[in-house]
Amino acid sequence: MENEPNKLPYEENPESFGRWFREAAKDKWEKYLRGDEKGISIEERDTMRKFLVEQGTKEEIESKLDSFGFNLLADEALREEVKAKRPDIKLDW
């Protein structure tokens, strides 16, 4: 089950940007979602956050939220951004 890719809310074809991004930035993307941002530039981090909010799966968003730990301001900011831009994603509060 862990080896299955995250279920996306849309069909992702081989030429899609989302598929390319997840494959091209695989290691950094996984580190970013876990909260390990060492070796990730500010520009890369900002790009990943934008991608997360615009095209991330619910599981990816929840993974990033979990990485915040007790950083309630970061958690709340991401939740509000997702709520505003992605009404299709319902997060547990």
Side-chain angles (χ1 to χ4, degrees):
M1 193 82 149
E2 280 185 28
N3 292 336
E4 291 181 22
N6 291 332
K7 177 109 173 89
L8 299 174
Y10 52 86
E11 189 75 26
E12 193 171 79
N13 66 48
E15 291 91 32
S16 74
F17 174 74
R19 179 181 214 98
W20 174 85
F21 185 89
R22 285 181 177 91
E23 290 174 2
K26 184 176 182 0
D27 293 334
K28 286 186 178 184
W29 178 243
E30 290 173 0
K31 286 176 65 174
Y32 171 77
L33 293 176
R34 288 191 314 264
D36 178 10
E37 297 182 13
K38 290 181 218 135
I40 298 175
S41 71
I42 293 171
E43 292 83 11
E44 290 171 326
R45 188 200 63 219
D46 291 347
T47 299
M48 288 184 204
R49 181 179 178 107
K50 184 176 184 201
F51 178 81
L52 179 66
V53 171
E54 292 176 357
Q55 297 189 37
T57 64
K58 181 178 180 181
E59 291 79 15
E60 289 170 333
I61 294 168
E62 288 172 344
S63 177
K64 186 60 183 170
L65 289 169
D66 289 344
S67 79
F68 292 140
F70 292 107
N71 187 341
L72 299 178
L73 291 176
D75 184 278
E76 184 179 349
L78 180 57
R79 286 179 187 275
E80 289 299 321
E81 192 172 357
V82 169
K83 183 178 173 185
K85 295 181 179 178
R86 293 286 301 278
D88 60 307
I89 301 282
K90 304 295 183 216
L91 299 171
D92 298 326
W93 290 84

